[in-house]
Amino acid sequence: MRGKRTATGAALAVGALAVTGVVLAPAAVAVAPESATITADCGTFGGGEATLTATQNGTAATMTLTSSAITAPIALGEDSIASTLTLVKGSGGTTAFTGTENPAMAAGDSVTVGPLSGTVASGDSLEAFGGSLRMRVFGITITCTATGPQSPGPFVFD
């Protein structure tokens, strides 16, 4: 009988800790969609389909752009591309995401920049069409623009 009470007490203690953990856990913050596809035009540097991936933690947000259609013209070292991604707000104005984060890339590799950091407010709706991605590599600025709205739609932040 004593073993049964000990097991019941242990189960209640574990349950209480689990409930406390749920109550004290930070509220989940979400952005929807988590990723969107655009078609980008980078002028003489090429263009094609690219994917934007968004994350959010409170008012801090990040964006990462990856594209197998846009390739590195030369070998690039890790964190060697200074990037600014400007997205258009649904309510007017723009939001910029900046940084120098990128993996090392060999000539011809798919381009990835980010995560680029920015600040968002609850309810912000951000769209790549009408904005731009500026990448500065070895003193050369490459500007890419979306040729149409992103799919499945704008990023909406909680």
Side-chain angles (χ1 to χ4, degrees):
M1 185 71 157
R2 180 176 182 180
K4 194 173 196 177
R5 276 191 256 171
T6 302
T8 302
L12 287 173
V14 168
L17 286 173
V19 169
T20 302
V22 170
V23 171
L24 297 178
V29 179
V31 57
E34 290 179 3
S35 66
T37 303
I38 62 169
T39 300
D41 178 5
C42 301
T44 58
F45 294 96
E49 191 172 283
T51 300
L52 290 169
T53 305
T55 65
Q56 180 184 7
N57 185 4
T59 60
T62 64
M63 290 281 175
T64 301
L65 178 133
T66 57
S67 176
S68 58
I70 304 167
T71 58
I74 58 174
L76 300 169
E78 181 177 1
D79 301 336
S80 63
I81 304 172
S83 302
T84 300
L85 174 64
T86 304
L87 300 178
V88 177
K89 286 184 177 184
S91 60
T94 60
T95 298
F97 294 84
T98 61
T100 57
E101 300 288 325
N102 65 274
M105 293 174 255
D109 279 358
S110 300
V111 168
T112 297
V113 293
L116 307 175
S117 301
T119 302
V120 296
S122 181
D124 275 357
S125 175
L126 302 178
E127 165 70 56
F129 187 51
S132 66
L133 171 65
R134 282 187 168 62
M135 299 175 284
R136 189 150 178 86
V137 183
F138 300 123
I140 299 168
T141 300
I142 302 164
T143 302
C144 301
T145 56
T147 60
Q150 65 193 45
S151 177
F155 294 106
V156 179
F157 295 85
D158 276 350

